[in-house]
Amino acid sequence: MYNFDYQRPQSVADASKAIAGKDEAKLLAGGMTLIPTLKQRLAKPSDLVDLGRIAELKGIKRDGNAIVIGAMTRHAEVASSDVVKSAIPALAQLAGGIGDPQVRNRGTIGGSLANNDPAADYPAAVLGLNATIITNKRRIAADDFFKGMFETALGQDEIITAVSFPVAEKAGYSKFPNPASRYAIVGVFVAKTAGGVRVAVTGAGPCVFRAEAMEKALAKSFSADAIKDLKIAPGELNSDIHASREYRAHLVGVMARRAVQACG
Ligand SMILES: Cc1cc2nc3c(=O)[nH]c(=O)nc-3n(C[C@H](O)[C@H](O)[C@H](O)COP(=O)(O)OP(=O)(O)OC[C@H]3O[C@@H](n4cnc5c(N)ncnc54)[C@H](O)[C@@H]3O)c2cc1C
């Protein structure tokens, strides 16, 4: 039996109060992951705090040299946003390639990042663009946010409120999708920013990671040719019914080169 208190606060402050000190409370965003988890009885929250009515968590705006996206912004809104398409087209393209129309119209950027599925797309953009995750308590740099499979730096009573993406000089994303779910078997996000080149890989390992050898090679020469001889060791990569670790290692190279070419 389900047995939780359902709450639908109107502000981040009220949502923060609703989960404060409650170890078993859960936030509900698009419900694309949480609802199936509840249905399978894999989660048994004491409180379900629905973020759907909190206007301050929604929307996309330009803030100086950054694009700030509210946590409850749906993937479809990011994909169709003129602000995102003109400033970071690769981010709009990535959002448009998530799941199917139903998932894109329900799933949110905050829910995706909090969940940190090893095959999710947004973690690659967040790490590749060196974005900042803004919560009700602090600002977390991308390099400090993703901790492991389905694990992040978020505390139990911490709410993602927005994500700030610096506008890159160049950015590209390429993914080899699972043909059923569209989750990344391997996805690579490449960005060239004032701070240097970053290459973030999703789907291949237990958690999104940076390919540092590729970053160094691209910093010297930003071209697909510069990384064509670089091999990723299959060592700790994922191996499952969809792809062996050797195949994923191969795909990282192919997707990285395509992501560089997509930068234009
Ligand atoms: C069929 C299918 C296909 C999919 N394909 C893809 C794909 O191709 N690529 C991809 O990247 N993703 C894919 N997804 C995932 C989907 O896009 C969602 O992003 C994901 O399910 C979670 O987002 P949500 O908004 O639905 O969060 P929910 O399911 O509501 O919540 C997920 C978790 O995040 C927590 N949470 C939610 N919001 C916040 C917040 N603001 N602060 C802190 N914690 C929070 C919740 O408590 C919960 O633990 C797919 C999902 C489905 C069902």
Side-chain angles (χ1 to χ4, degrees):
M1 280 288 287
Y2 296 116
N3 186 16
F4 50 75
D5 283 335
Y6 175 76
Q7 301 181 55
R8 198 152 54 172
Q10 306 277 336
S11 68
V12 173
D14 285 348
S16 303
K17 274 188 219 143
I19 57 167
K22 291 183 184 160
D23 285 350
E24 302 301 323
K26 274 271 173 206
L27 298 166
L28 176 65
M32 291 290 93
T33 293
L34 186 54
I35 299 291
T37 308
L38 293 177
K39 281 184 167 175
Q40 291 171 60
R41 304 298 194 268
L42 294 172
K44 217 176 155 200
S46 59
D47 298 72
L48 203 55
V49 179
D50 186 342
L51 302 175
R53 289 258 173 101
I54 306 181
E56 65 194 289
L57 291 179
K58 294 174 188 168
I60 299 169
K61 63 173 190 228
R62 176 116 196 187
D63 182 15
N65 197 35
I67 300 296
V68 181
I69 303 181
M72 284 298 289
T73 309
R74 316 276 178 193
H75 310 326
E77 294 171 285
V78 176
S80 63
S81 159
D82 288 337
V83 176
V84 180
K85 281 197 274 188
S86 70
I88 316 175
L91 184 58
Q93 176 223 324
L94 173 149
I98 294 176
D100 51 44
Q102 288 86 346
V103 169
R104 291 196 289 278
N105 280 284
R106 290 298 307 166
T108 66
I109 188 168
S112 174
L113 293 174
N115 196 46
N116 193 20
D117 190 298
D121 294 288
Y122 273 127
V126 166
L127 194 62
L129 286 163
N130 197 14
T132 302
I133 286 107
I134 304 164
T135 78
N136 57 335
K137 294 172 186 270
R138 59 190 168 137
R139 297 170 69 88
I140 310 171
D143 285 326
D144 300 327
F145 183 79
F146 303 103
K147 294 291 188 194
M149 190 181 272
F150 296 108
E151 202 188 329
T152 69
L154 292 171
Q156 161 61 23
D157 56 355
E158 202 161 10
I159 304 172
I160 300 176
T161 56
V163 187
S164 176
F165 291 93
V167 175
E169 205 180 297
K170 292 179 178 185
Y173 182 60
S174 184
K175 128 165 122 166
F176 191 83
N178 178 309
S181 68
R182 317 308 288 174
Y183 271 113
I185 289 180
V186 169
V188 180
F189 199 101
V190 173
K192 186 174 188 206
T193 67
V197 176
R198 291 171 71 102
V199 178
V201 181
T202 190
C207 181
V208 65
F209 63 89
R210 286 173 65 188
E212 280 154 18
M214 288 188 181
E215 291 179 353
K216 281 190 189 130
L218 290 170
K220 283 190 198 144
S221 163
F222 196 83
S223 69
D225 259 6
I227 52 173
K228 74 176 185 337
D229 296 326
L230 290 180
K231 302 265 180 277
I232 293 279
E236 302 293 311
L237 297 188
N238 297 335
S239 196
D240 54 29
I241 55 164
H242 304 298
S244 67
R245 55 179 55 90
E246 290 76 17
Y247 185 48
R248 279 188 164 89
H250 168 72
L251 282 177
V252 173
V254 178
M255 294 303 117
R257 291 197 294 281
R258 287 187 190 168
V260 172
Q261 281 158 352
C263 289

